Amino acid sequence: MATILLIEDDALVRRGLQLALRRHGHAVRTADTGEDGLRELRAAEPDLVVLDVMLPGIDGFEVCRRVRSVTQVPVIMLTARGDDFDVVEGLEAGADDYVVKPARPTVLDARIRAVLRRSTDPTEGVRVHRDLRIDTAALTVSRRGEPVPLTPTELRLLLTLSRTPGRVFSRQQLLEEVWEHRYLGDSRLVDNCVQRLRVKVEADPAAPEYVQTVRGFGYRFGPV
């Protein structure tokens, strides 16, 4: 059973999703404002946060940024529109995934389970690539001996790419392997996650050594 923190200001939506997620086997804590959500985050230490974009007071984007400043807990954003602005801003704030409202409980549950699987996926050992060390058992990353804090999705992307250095992955392949999206995938998830990952693991994100773009095809992990 996962503990989910649901931050949603609409009482009917909040209650409906709470009941539905409980039926799917999750323990659900709720908050109706960003401020209350951040307090609940500290008190409950949830396994995942489901966060509405449109909140009174501080909005969901700012809440996500503040969550990311203190923890790498997975975050799924709820957005009323699937337009570029909401989606890209949410991903840049550090969200791991997004679901367009009205959120069907079965879809939201599937996304929750996929994100949680990505955050706990066991792998085979330690990979060392120049000054980057990836411990795939402990699920930690360090660069030049310094720990690199990655979100579960950033870590999963790095694990997927570094598993076979030099192999080119298309965006669709990464959506299927990292996000487990097949028909509802969105390449913006990949591009934004790559940008965030480069900031954390590359000496110069503008000239990446590890997470490299192959124009017209996708991404690869730089050969050792």
Side-chain angles (χ1 to χ4, degrees):
M1 178 186 292
T3 298
I4 309 299
L5 172 58
L6 172 62
I7 308 175
E8 164 64 64
D9 68 310
D10 187 306
L12 290 176
V13 173
R14 185 174 64 251
R15 183 59 176 163
L17 288 178
Q18 181 183 33
L19 292 173
L21 292 175
R22 283 177 174 172
R23 285 196 295 271
H24 283 285
H26 305 293
V28 183
R29 306 283 291 265
T30 65
D32 59 3
T33 68
E35 292 86 348
D36 286 345
L38 291 169
R39 283 191 288 270
E40 191 67 25
L41 177 75
R42 291 188 289 270
E45 297 185 353
D47 300 301
L48 183 142
V49 177
V50 176
L51 173 61
D52 187 30
V53 167
M54 301 299 292
L55 293 171
I58 57 174
D59 65 18
F61 303 126
E62 179 60 24
V63 172
C64 189
R65 284 188 282 268
R66 294 189 190 184
V67 169
R68 278 288 161 265
S69 71
V70 296
T71 178
Q72 299 304 313
V73 65
V75 176
I76 295 177
M77 301 287 287
L78 295 178
T79 172
R81 305 185 308 274
D83 62 23
D84 287 349
F85 179 80
D86 275 5
V87 172
V88 171
E89 185 166 355
L91 296 174
E92 290 181 345
D96 294 274
D97 204 345
Y98 74 94
V99 173
V100 176
K101 296 172 73 173
R104 298 203 307 274
T106 54
V107 172
L108 181 56
D109 176 61
R111 295 287 182 87
I112 287 171
R113 293 180 186 276
V115 170
L116 291 175
R117 279 196 300 273
R118 297 198 300 266
S119 68
T120 58
D121 186 31
T123 44
E124 75 283 357
V126 175
R127 303 170 191 166
V128 178
H129 305 274
R130 299 186 179 94
D131 60 1
L132 195 67
R133 185 179 189 275
I134 306 168
D135 188 329
T136 60
L139 298 178
T140 58
V141 176
S142 60
R143 181 173 175 270
R144 295 182 178 177
E146 294 296 322
V148 178
L150 299 179
T151 68
T153 302
E154 292 163 358
L155 177 60
R156 180 71 171 173
L157 176 61
L158 183 61
L159 290 171
T160 298
L161 291 170
S162 66
R163 186 173 63 234
T164 49
R167 174 188 170 186
V168 178
F169 289 83
S170 69
R171 288 172 174 80
Q172 185 59 40
Q173 287 173 320
L174 290 172
L175 282 168
E176 292 180 10
E177 293 206 29
V178 178
W179 283 265
E180 300 183 19
H181 289 192
R182 289 169 177 82
Y183 303 107
L184 300 176
D186 188 328
S187 63
R188 291 172 295 188
L189 291 168
V190 179
D191 295 336
N192 278 274
C193 192
V194 164
Q195 292 173 13
R196 297 199 312 267
L197 181 60
R198 283 173 173 166
V199 169
K200 296 181 179 182
V201 303
E202 303 284 0
D204 180 3
E209 178 182 6
Y210 299 116
V211 185
Q212 301 175 347
T213 301
V214 180
R215 289 194 184 279
F217 294 94
Y219 297 101
R220 72 181 174 198
F221 193 84
V224 177

